Amino acid sequence: MKRSSVKELLHSDKFLQEVHVKGWVRTFRSNRFIALNDGSTINNIQCVVDFENTEEELLKRITTSAAVSITGTLTESQGKGQSVEITVTKLEILGDSNPDEYPIQPKKHSLEFLRENAHLRIRTNTFSAVMRVRSALSFGVHKYFQENGFNYVNTPIITGSDAEGAGEMFHVSNFDTNKAPLNEAGEIDYTQDFFGKETNLTVSGQLEAETYAMALGKVYTFGPTFRAENSNTTRHLAEFWMIEPEVAFNDLDANMDLSEDFIKSVLGYVLENCKDDLAFLDNRLTQEEKTKPQAERSEMGLIEKLNFVANNNFKRVSYTEAFEILRNCKPNKKKKFQFPITEWGVDLQSEHERYLVEKHFKCPVILFDYPATIKAFYMRLNDDGKTVRAMDVLFPGIGEMVGGSQREERLDVLKAKMADLNIDEEELWWYLDTRKFGTAVHSGFGLGFERLVLFTTGMSNIRDVIPFPRTPQNAEF
Ligand code: 4AD
Ligand code: MG
């Protein structure tokens, strides 16, 4: 008999018909009611067992997380809170789960405990909801770009270049670390390594994506990205997924428009397609907010917040304007910031970004025209000679969601900048070629996918929105 998903059955009105379903037991109460889940939806279907006519031995094996196969009759439910249930006629245990050993009990566990059991935490409502939303978000990302004429490009994961110039990279080598050959200077001789040169895991696909934008016009990447920065925060991962659109002939204004339209569209997609999961996560967040002091509680519920962002304009502010707001704000004057705002040109820390979005503007903010000294080499220099056409999209509760820029398309200016920063022209010869052969204004940005998932699900730690997080001192699973 054809197997139905729990989701299909919960929306079905084929009462009194025989149905077949497989899944895992969430709870079993009164020796009678199985709450069955198969991952197709946050909701369980109730399966009612005729316990008087079922062997005791079999009943004992219906434990939390046991895999079961059920055949029965779809019935209109008598109980509150559900419309259909299955009156079980045949039950088979596919895989037992010993309740004395199974770590995830049907009670509230801490997120820390669940992180240690990342292979099982997906069996909880919270994580299954988060990961279904994550999946829908990634579909929404592809949908947006594919419907808007972008080509999906897969840029290399192993790379010889350091796109961000930050040097926070993981080395890739197949040398035996104890026996790496040395050159005459006594340094490791990478010419003998697999690729004949020093290579790393990529921190961004941007530079390669730029070369593709110079032929395909509109491109985007969506792939894994690696950073060996030792930031043990709730916003950083060592391995995360980044989305990087790059568009020929777009200037910074068009780039800001794209980032805003893109984010709103993707949020709109999940609001439309993940209603049950978002309702669950909304409620979860409300419960969690109640445990916080009044002053720290969010003014909006999750769904309300997502609708707000999807339907209101982001505020666009130059770095210089933001700097003035921050310099004159109360927390700065009262020396409440860990990093005081004094001189124009300082890099903004997350406390400053969050002040701007959460306290001052109370909406997503796009900061642009940053001081050249705090941004990457490839950003286009403004006529003032000291700011670059950079943009960061800042989100409430998250801080930086997007980092992007209009790229420096003038060969001489780019070369001068690289010389200033000691970036070897020979290493980036292919990147410089794009400026020699038909150079054009172009722009793009990178959005950290997990930060988007974090915002959309209302979770508070980035480790809880990727299946198996990679962070300093942690690569279990
Ligand atoms: O601002 P970033 O470093 O920009 C770039 O890499 C550019 N090459 C992007 C481009 O213009 N094509 O990183 C982009 C975004 C950040 O805004 C943030 O959302 C995310 O990537 N991000 C991280 N997310 C999780 N963990 C980390 N360690 C992250 N570092 C950056
Ligand atoms: Mg950035």
PDB file of all heavy atoms in Angstrom, residues 164 203-204 206 227 229 235-237 240 242 244 246 378 400-405 407 444-448 451 462, ligand 1:
ATOM      1  N   GLU A 164      39.682  38.305   0.940  1.00  0.00           N
ATOM      2  CA  GLU A 164      39.414  39.391   1.877  1.00  0.00           C
ATOM      3  C   GLU A 164      40.703  40.005   2.425  1.00  0.00           C
ATOM      4  O   GLU A 164      40.665  40.983   3.158  1.00  0.00           O
ATOM      5  CB  GLU A 164      38.532  38.901   3.019  1.00  0.00           C
ATOM      6  CG  GLU A 164      37.136  38.508   2.579  1.00  0.00           C
ATOM      7  CD  GLU A 164      36.437  39.616   1.803  1.00  0.00           C
ATOM      8  OE1 GLU A 164      36.212  40.695   2.355  1.00  0.00           O
ATOM      9  OE2 GLU A 164      36.128  39.409   0.619  1.00  0.00           O
ATOM     10  N   VAL A 203      37.656  31.879   1.568  1.00  0.00           N
ATOM     11  CA  VAL A 203      36.909  32.735   2.503  1.00  0.00           C
ATOM     12  C   VAL A 203      35.785  33.467   1.772  1.00  0.00           C
ATOM     13  O   VAL A 203      34.951  34.110   2.404  1.00  0.00           O
ATOM     14  CB  VAL A 203      37.804  33.788   3.200  1.00  0.00           C
ATOM     15  CG1 VAL A 203      38.811  33.133   4.111  1.00  0.00           C
ATOM     16  CG2 VAL A 203      38.498  34.684   2.175  1.00  0.00           C
ATOM     17  N   SER A 204      35.780  33.361   0.445  1.00  0.00           N
ATOM     18  CA  SER A 204      34.769  34.047  -0.359  1.00  0.00           C
ATOM     19  C   SER A 204      34.979  33.686  -1.816  1.00  0.00           C
ATOM     20  O   SER A 204      36.119  33.536  -2.260  1.00  0.00           O
ATOM     21  CB  SER A 204      34.924  35.562  -0.190  1.00  0.00           C
ATOM     22  OG  SER A 204      34.323  36.255  -1.270  1.00  0.00           O
ATOM     23  N   GLN A 206      34.061  35.637  -4.185  1.00  0.00           N
ATOM     24  CA  GLN A 206      33.851  36.906  -4.900  1.00  0.00           C
ATOM     25  C   GLN A 206      34.768  37.136  -6.095  1.00  0.00           C
ATOM     26  O   GLN A 206      34.311  37.492  -7.179  1.00  0.00           O
ATOM     27  CB  GLN A 206      33.998  38.070  -3.925  1.00  0.00           C
ATOM     28  CG  GLN A 206      33.833  39.418  -4.611  1.00  0.00           C
ATOM     29  CD  GLN A 206      34.341  40.547  -3.752  1.00  0.00           C
ATOM     30  OE1 GLN A 206      34.185  40.513  -2.545  1.00  0.00           O
ATOM     31  NE2 GLN A 206      34.936  41.547  -4.372  1.00  0.00           N
ATOM     32  N   ARG A 227      36.439  30.288   7.571  1.00  0.00           N
ATOM     33  CA  ARG A 227      37.259  31.341   8.177  1.00  0.00           C
ATOM     34  C   ARG A 227      37.852  30.853   9.496  1.00  0.00           C
ATOM     35  O   ARG A 227      37.128  30.414  10.381  1.00  0.00           O
ATOM     36  CB  ARG A 227      36.432  32.608   8.406  1.00  0.00           C
ATOM     37  CG  ARG A 227      35.935  33.140   7.070  1.00  0.00           C
ATOM     38  CD  ARG A 227      35.660  34.603   7.036  1.00  0.00           C
ATOM     39  NE  ARG A 227      35.194  34.927   5.684  1.00  0.00           N
ATOM     40  CZ  ARG A 227      34.635  36.060   5.330  1.00  0.00           C
ATOM     41  NH1 ARG A 227      34.456  37.009   6.227  1.00  0.00           N
ATOM     42  NH2 ARG A 227      34.257  36.266   4.086  1.00  0.00           N
ATOM     43  N   GLU A 229      38.992  32.518  11.850  1.00  0.00           N
ATOM     44  CA  GLU A 229      39.070  33.572  12.869  1.00  0.00           C
ATOM     45  C   GLU A 229      38.656  32.963  14.202  1.00  0.00           C
ATOM     46  O   GLU A 229      37.727  32.167  14.271  1.00  0.00           O
ATOM     47  CB  GLU A 229      38.201  34.776  12.506  1.00  0.00           C
ATOM     48  CG  GLU A 229      36.758  34.412  12.217  1.00  0.00           C
ATOM     49  CD  GLU A 229      35.986  35.541  11.533  1.00  0.00           C
ATOM     50  OE1 GLU A 229      36.398  36.699  11.667  1.00  0.00           O
ATOM     51  OE2 GLU A 229      34.976  35.245  10.895  1.00  0.00           O
ATOM     52  N   ARG A 235      27.584  34.622  16.610  1.00  0.00           N
ATOM     53  CA  ARG A 235      27.367  35.053  15.218  1.00  0.00           C
ATOM     54  C   ARG A 235      28.416  34.512  14.253  1.00  0.00           C
ATOM     55  O   ARG A 235      28.355  34.808  13.076  1.00  0.00           O
ATOM     56  CB  ARG A 235      27.417  36.591  15.131  1.00  0.00           C
ATOM     57  CG  ARG A 235      26.459  37.311  16.034  1.00  0.00           C
ATOM     58  CD  ARG A 235      25.048  37.286  15.476  1.00  0.00           C
ATOM     59  NE  ARG A 235      24.095  37.866  16.408  1.00  0.00           N
ATOM     60  CZ  ARG A 235      23.413  37.183  17.321  1.00  0.00           C
ATOM     61  NH1 ARG A 235      23.570  35.872  17.429  1.00  0.00           N
ATOM     62  NH2 ARG A 235      22.559  37.776  18.128  1.00  0.00           N
ATOM     63  N   HIS A 236      29.405  33.789  14.749  1.00  0.00           N
ATOM     64  CA  HIS A 236      30.498  33.327  13.886  1.00  0.00           C
ATOM     65  C   HIS A 236      30.621  31.814  13.835  1.00  0.00           C
ATOM     66  O   HIS A 236      30.552  31.145  14.859  1.00  0.00           O
ATOM     67  CB  HIS A 236      31.841  33.892  14.377  1.00  0.00           C
ATOM     68  CG  HIS A 236      31.985  35.354  14.133  1.00  0.00           C
ATOM     69  ND1 HIS A 236      31.542  36.294  15.029  1.00  0.00           N
ATOM     70  CD2 HIS A 236      32.507  36.043  13.086  1.00  0.00           C
ATOM     71  CE1 HIS A 236      31.791  37.508  14.550  1.00  0.00           C
ATOM     72  NE2 HIS A 236      32.376  37.384  13.368  1.00  0.00           N
ATOM     73  N   LEU A 237      30.852  31.315  12.632  1.00  0.00           N
ATOM     74  CA  LEU A 237      31.175  29.913  12.428  1.00  0.00           C
ATOM     75  C   LEU A 237      32.489  29.843  11.660  1.00  0.00           C
ATOM     76  O   LEU A 237      32.831  30.775  10.926  1.00  0.00           O
ATOM     77  CB  LEU A 237      30.082  29.244  11.584  1.00  0.00           C
ATOM     78  CG  LEU A 237      28.714  29.058  12.249  1.00  0.00           C
ATOM     79  CD1 LEU A 237      27.650  28.764  11.202  1.00  0.00           C
ATOM     80  CD2 LEU A 237      28.771  27.933  13.287  1.00  0.00           C
ATOM     81  N   PHE A 240      30.756  28.266   7.121  1.00  0.00           N
ATOM     82  CA  PHE A 240      29.389  28.769   6.941  1.00  0.00           C
ATOM     83  C   PHE A 240      29.086  28.858   5.453  1.00  0.00           C
ATOM     84  O   PHE A 240      29.965  28.651   4.622  1.00  0.00           O
ATOM     85  CB  PHE A 240      29.210  30.124   7.638  1.00  0.00           C
ATOM     86  CG  PHE A 240      30.089  31.234   7.101  1.00  0.00           C
ATOM     87  CD1 PHE A 240      29.579  32.178   6.195  1.00  0.00           C
ATOM     88  CD2 PHE A 240      31.412  31.350   7.500  1.00  0.00           C
ATOM     89  CE1 PHE A 240      30.387  33.206   5.701  1.00  0.00           C
ATOM     90  CE2 PHE A 240      32.216  32.373   7.002  1.00  0.00           C
ATOM     91  CZ  PHE A 240      31.709  33.304   6.106  1.00  0.00           C
ATOM     92  N   MET A 242      27.759  30.996   2.222  1.00  0.00           N
ATOM     93  CA  MET A 242      27.600  32.386   1.801  1.00  0.00           C
ATOM     94  C   MET A 242      26.940  32.457   0.434  1.00  0.00           C
ATOM     95  O   MET A 242      27.182  31.609  -0.424  1.00  0.00           O
ATOM     96  CB  MET A 242      28.948  33.114   1.793  1.00  0.00           C
ATOM     97  CG  MET A 242      28.719  34.599   1.878  1.00  0.00           C
ATOM     98  SD  MET A 242      30.073  35.763   1.969  1.00  0.00           S
ATOM     99  CE  MET A 242      31.543  34.924   2.063  1.00  0.00           C
ATOM    100  N   GLU A 244      26.672  34.964  -2.759  1.00  0.00           N
ATOM    101  CA  GLU A 244      27.358  36.130  -3.299  1.00  0.00           C
ATOM    102  C   GLU A 244      26.902  36.460  -4.720  1.00  0.00           C
ATOM    103  O   GLU A 244      27.417  35.894  -5.685  1.00  0.00           O
ATOM    104  CB  GLU A 244      28.884  35.907  -3.274  1.00  0.00           C
ATOM    105  CG  GLU A 244      29.436  35.779  -1.865  1.00  0.00           C
ATOM    106  CD  GLU A 244      30.956  35.658  -1.832  1.00  0.00           C
ATOM    107  OE1 GLU A 244      31.459  34.535  -2.016  1.00  0.00           O
ATOM    108  OE2 GLU A 244      31.628  36.681  -1.650  1.00  0.00           O
ATOM    109  N   GLU A 246      26.846  38.910  -7.976  1.00  0.00           N
ATOM    110  CA  GLU A 246      27.769  39.870  -8.580  1.00  0.00           C
ATOM    111  C   GLU A 246      27.152  40.312  -9.907  1.00  0.00           C
ATOM    112  O   GLU A 246      26.760  39.468 -10.706  1.00  0.00           O
ATOM    113  CB  GLU A 246      29.132  39.186  -8.805  1.00  0.00           C
ATOM    114  CG  GLU A 246      30.258  40.126  -9.174  1.00  0.00           C
ATOM    115  CD  GLU A 246      30.701  41.028  -8.008  1.00  0.00           C
ATOM    116  OE1 GLU A 246      30.696  40.586  -6.843  1.00  0.00           O
ATOM    117  OE2 GLU A 246      31.050  42.196  -8.288  1.00  0.00           O
ATOM    118  N   TYR A 378      39.545  45.697  -2.902  1.00  0.00           N
ATOM    119  CA  TYR A 378      38.852  45.737  -4.203  1.00  0.00           C
ATOM    120  C   TYR A 378      37.687  46.724  -4.243  1.00  0.00           C
ATOM    121  O   TYR A 378      36.956  46.787  -5.213  1.00  0.00           O
ATOM    122  CB  TYR A 378      38.344  44.324  -4.535  1.00  0.00           C
ATOM    123  CG  TYR A 378      37.568  43.688  -3.392  1.00  0.00           C
ATOM    124  CD1 TYR A 378      36.319  44.161  -3.001  1.00  0.00           C
ATOM    125  CD2 TYR A 378      38.108  42.625  -2.669  1.00  0.00           C
ATOM    126  CE1 TYR A 378      35.618  43.594  -1.956  1.00  0.00           C
ATOM    127  CE2 TYR A 378      37.417  42.048  -1.612  1.00  0.00           C
ATOM    128  CZ  TYR A 378      36.178  42.544  -1.263  1.00  0.00           C
ATOM    129  OH  TYR A 378      35.493  42.000  -0.215  1.00  0.00           O
ATOM    130  N   GLU A 400      25.776  42.548  11.432  1.00  0.00           N
ATOM    131  CA  GLU A 400      26.041  42.493   9.985  1.00  0.00           C
ATOM    132  C   GLU A 400      25.469  41.238   9.320  1.00  0.00           C
ATOM    133  O   GLU A 400      25.863  40.133   9.624  1.00  0.00           O
ATOM    134  CB  GLU A 400      27.559  42.562   9.740  1.00  0.00           C
ATOM    135  CG  GLU A 400      27.889  42.599   8.260  1.00  0.00           C
ATOM    136  CD  GLU A 400      29.386  42.476   7.985  1.00  0.00           C
ATOM    137  OE1 GLU A 400      30.190  42.897   8.836  1.00  0.00           O
ATOM    138  OE2 GLU A 400      29.728  41.956   6.908  1.00  0.00           O
ATOM    139  N   MET A 401      24.557  41.477   8.411  1.00  0.00           N
ATOM    140  CA  MET A 401      23.959  40.368   7.648  1.00  0.00           C
ATOM    141  C   MET A 401      24.628  40.269   6.279  1.00  0.00           C
ATOM    142  O   MET A 401      24.829  39.181   5.748  1.00  0.00           O
ATOM    143  CB  MET A 401      22.469  40.650   7.484  1.00  0.00           C
ATOM    144  CG  MET A 401      21.716  39.676   6.619  1.00  0.00           C
ATOM    145  SD  MET A 401      21.229  38.241   7.551  1.00  0.00           S
ATOM    146  CE  MET A 401      19.744  38.827   8.335  1.00  0.00           C
ATOM    147  N   VAL A 402      24.940  41.437   5.718  1.00  0.00           N
ATOM    148  CA  VAL A 402      25.491  41.502   4.364  1.00  0.00           C
ATOM    149  C   VAL A 402      26.692  42.427   4.354  1.00  0.00           C
ATOM    150  O   VAL A 402      26.689  43.462   5.024  1.00  0.00           O
ATOM    151  CB  VAL A 402      24.421  42.071   3.391  1.00  0.00           C
ATOM    152  CG1 VAL A 402      25.044  42.515   2.075  1.00  0.00           C
ATOM    153  CG2 VAL A 402      23.308  41.066   3.136  1.00  0.00           C
ATOM    154  N   GLY A 403      27.732  42.040   3.595  1.00  0.00           N
ATOM    155  CA  GLY A 403      28.845  42.943   3.326  1.00  0.00           C
ATOM    156  C   GLY A 403      29.068  42.970   1.823  1.00  0.00           C
ATOM    157  O   GLY A 403      29.116  41.918   1.195  1.00  0.00           O
ATOM    158  N   GLY A 404      29.160  44.151   1.246  1.00  0.00           N
ATOM    159  CA  GLY A 404      29.347  44.208  -0.202  1.00  0.00           C
ATOM    160  C   GLY A 404      29.937  45.531  -0.630  1.00  0.00           C
ATOM    161  O   GLY A 404      30.293  46.369   0.202  1.00  0.00           O
ATOM    162  N   SER A 405      30.029  45.717  -1.957  1.00  0.00           N
ATOM    163  CA  SER A 405      30.601  46.966  -2.456  1.00  0.00           C
ATOM    164  C   SER A 405      30.442  47.087  -3.968  1.00  0.00           C
ATOM    165  O   SER A 405      30.167  46.106  -4.659  1.00  0.00           O
ATOM    166  CB  SER A 405      32.095  47.056  -2.134  1.00  0.00           C
ATOM    167  OG  SER A 405      32.805  46.009  -2.756  1.00  0.00           O
ATOM    168  N   ARG A 407      32.832  47.543  -7.030  1.00  0.00           N
ATOM    169  CA  ARG A 407      34.229  47.128  -7.142  1.00  0.00           C
ATOM    170  C   ARG A 407      35.059  48.189  -7.867  1.00  0.00           C
ATOM    171  O   ARG A 407      34.538  48.893  -8.736  1.00  0.00           O
ATOM    172  CB  ARG A 407      34.340  45.804  -7.892  1.00  0.00           C
ATOM    173  CG  ARG A 407      33.275  44.752  -7.539  1.00  0.00           C
ATOM    174  CD  ARG A 407      33.204  44.437  -6.069  1.00  0.00           C
ATOM    175  NE  ARG A 407      32.323  43.277  -5.792  1.00  0.00           N
ATOM    176  CZ  ARG A 407      31.958  42.887  -4.598  1.00  0.00           C
ATOM    177  NH1 ARG A 407      32.343  43.549  -3.513  1.00  0.00           N
ATOM    178  NH2 ARG A 407      31.185  41.828  -4.438  1.00  0.00           N
ATOM    179  N   GLY A 444      28.620  43.810  -6.040  1.00  0.00           N
ATOM    180  CA  GLY A 444      28.078  42.576  -5.490  1.00  0.00           C
ATOM    181  C   GLY A 444      28.137  42.596  -3.981  1.00  0.00           C
ATOM    182  O   GLY A 444      28.602  43.565  -3.373  1.00  0.00           O
ATOM    183  N   PHE A 445      27.645  41.535  -3.395  1.00  0.00           N
ATOM    184  CA  PHE A 445      27.701  41.453  -1.928  1.00  0.00           C
ATOM    185  C   PHE A 445      27.711  40.004  -1.483  1.00  0.00           C
ATOM    186  O   PHE A 445      27.457  39.091  -2.284  1.00  0.00           O
ATOM    187  CB  PHE A 445      26.541  42.216  -1.285  1.00  0.00           C
ATOM    188  CG  PHE A 445      25.157  41.739  -1.655  1.00  0.00           C
ATOM    189  CD1 PHE A 445      24.574  40.658  -1.007  1.00  0.00           C
ATOM    190  CD2 PHE A 445      24.433  42.384  -2.647  1.00  0.00           C
ATOM    191  CE1 PHE A 445      23.295  40.227  -1.335  1.00  0.00           C
ATOM    192  CE2 PHE A 445      23.144  41.957  -2.990  1.00  0.00           C
ATOM    193  CZ  PHE A 445      22.582  40.879  -2.337  1.00  0.00           C
ATOM    194  N   GLY A 446      27.994  39.810  -0.213  1.00  0.00           N
ATOM    195  CA  GLY A 446      27.944  38.476   0.375  1.00  0.00           C
ATOM    196  C   GLY A 446      26.977  38.486   1.542  1.00  0.00           C
ATOM    197  O   GLY A 446      27.008  39.394   2.376  1.00  0.00           O
ATOM    198  N   LEU A 447      26.086  37.501   1.553  1.00  0.00           N
ATOM    199  CA  LEU A 447      25.162  37.375   2.683  1.00  0.00           C
ATOM    200  C   LEU A 447      25.467  36.069   3.395  1.00  0.00           C
ATOM    201  O   LEU A 447      25.540  35.009   2.761  1.00  0.00           O
ATOM    202  CB  LEU A 447      23.710  37.401   2.194  1.00  0.00           C
ATOM    203  CG  LEU A 447      22.643  37.216   3.281  1.00  0.00           C
ATOM    204  CD1 LEU A 447      21.434  38.105   3.002  1.00  0.00           C
ATOM    205  CD2 LEU A 447      22.181  35.779   3.403  1.00  0.00           C
ATOM    206  N   GLY A 448      25.705  36.148   4.703  1.00  0.00           N
ATOM    207  CA  GLY A 448      25.975  34.948   5.491  1.00  0.00           C
ATOM    208  C   GLY A 448      24.674  34.211   5.719  1.00  0.00           C
ATOM    209  O   GLY A 448      23.797  34.695   6.433  1.00  0.00           O
ATOM    210  N   ARG A 451      23.306  33.620   9.188  1.00  0.00           N
ATOM    211  CA  ARG A 451      22.789  34.806   9.880  1.00  0.00           C
ATOM    212  C   ARG A 451      21.349  35.089   9.431  1.00  0.00           C
ATOM    213  O   ARG A 451      20.524  35.537  10.216  1.00  0.00           O
ATOM    214  CB  ARG A 451      23.699  36.002   9.637  1.00  0.00           C
ATOM    215  CG  ARG A 451      25.054  35.774  10.302  1.00  0.00           C
ATOM    216  CD  ARG A 451      25.862  37.026  10.441  1.00  0.00           C
ATOM    217  NE  ARG A 451      27.160  36.697  11.016  1.00  0.00           N
ATOM    218  CZ  ARG A 451      28.175  37.534  11.101  1.00  0.00           C
ATOM    219  NH1 ARG A 451      28.039  38.781  10.664  1.00  0.00           N
ATOM    220  NH2 ARG A 451      29.313  37.162  11.640  1.00  0.00           N
ATOM    221  N   ILE A 462      24.172  30.988  16.478  1.00  0.00           N
ATOM    222  CA  ILE A 462      24.379  30.515  15.096  1.00  0.00           C
ATOM    223  C   ILE A 462      24.675  29.019  15.044  1.00  0.00           C
ATOM    224  O   ILE A 462      24.426  28.360  14.038  1.00  0.00           O
ATOM    225  CB  ILE A 462      25.498  31.365  14.420  1.00  0.00           C
ATOM    226  CG1 ILE A 462      25.395  31.285  12.886  1.00  0.00           C
ATOM    227  CG2 ILE A 462      26.879  30.984  14.936  1.00  0.00           C
ATOM    228  CD1 ILE A 462      26.158  32.370  12.155  1.00  0.00           C
TER     229      ILE A 462
HETATM  230  O1  4AD B   1      31.644  40.911   4.953  1.00  0.00           O
HETATM  231  P1  4AD B   1      32.281  39.678   4.386  1.00  0.00           P
HETATM  232  O2  4AD B   1      33.602  39.291   4.915  1.00  0.00           O
HETATM  233  O3  4AD B   1      32.317  39.928   2.816  1.00  0.00           O
HETATM  234  C1  4AD B   1      32.913  39.142   1.891  1.00  0.00           C
HETATM  235  O4  4AD B   1      33.398  38.059   2.084  1.00  0.00           O
HETATM  236  C2  4AD B   1      32.782  39.697   0.489  1.00  0.00           C
HETATM  237  N1  4AD B   1      33.767  39.023  -0.359  1.00  0.00           N
HETATM  238  C3  4AD B   1      31.376  39.492   0.011  1.00  0.00           C
HETATM  239  C4  4AD B   1      31.143  40.024  -1.370  1.00  0.00           C
HETATM  240  O5  4AD B   1      31.152  41.228  -1.558  1.00  0.00           O
HETATM  241  N2  4AD B   1      30.912  39.153  -2.331  1.00  0.00           N
HETATM  242  O6  4AD B   1      31.292  38.454   4.567  1.00  0.00           O
HETATM  243  C5  4AD B   1      29.974  38.503   4.037  1.00  0.00           C
HETATM  244  C6  4AD B   1      28.972  38.035   5.063  1.00  0.00           C
HETATM  245  C7  4AD B   1      28.939  38.855   6.343  1.00  0.00           C
HETATM  246  O7  4AD B   1      28.164  40.009   6.180  1.00  0.00           O
HETATM  247  C8  4AD B   1      28.302  37.875   7.306  1.00  0.00           C
HETATM  248  O8  4AD B   1      26.897  37.835   7.143  1.00  0.00           O
HETATM  249  C9  4AD B   1      28.852  36.548   6.828  1.00  0.00           C
HETATM  250  O9  4AD B   1      29.298  36.719   5.512  1.00  0.00           O
HETATM  251  N3  4AD B   1      29.990  36.090   7.656  1.00  0.00           N
HETATM  252  C10 4AD B   1      29.912  35.088   8.537  1.00  0.00           C
HETATM  253  N4  4AD B   1      28.882  34.300   8.908  1.00  0.00           N
HETATM  254  C11 4AD B   1      29.133  33.365   9.843  1.00  0.00           C
HETATM  255  N5  4AD B   1      30.341  33.149  10.407  1.00  0.00           N
HETATM  256  C12 4AD B   1      31.407  33.911  10.063  1.00  0.00           C
HETATM  257  N6  4AD B   1      32.601  33.680  10.602  1.00  0.00           N
HETATM  258  C13 4AD B   1      31.208  34.941   9.090  1.00  0.00           C
HETATM  259  N7  4AD B   1      32.029  35.861   8.519  1.00  0.00           N
HETATM  260  C14 4AD B   1      31.263  36.537   7.643  1.00  0.00           C
END
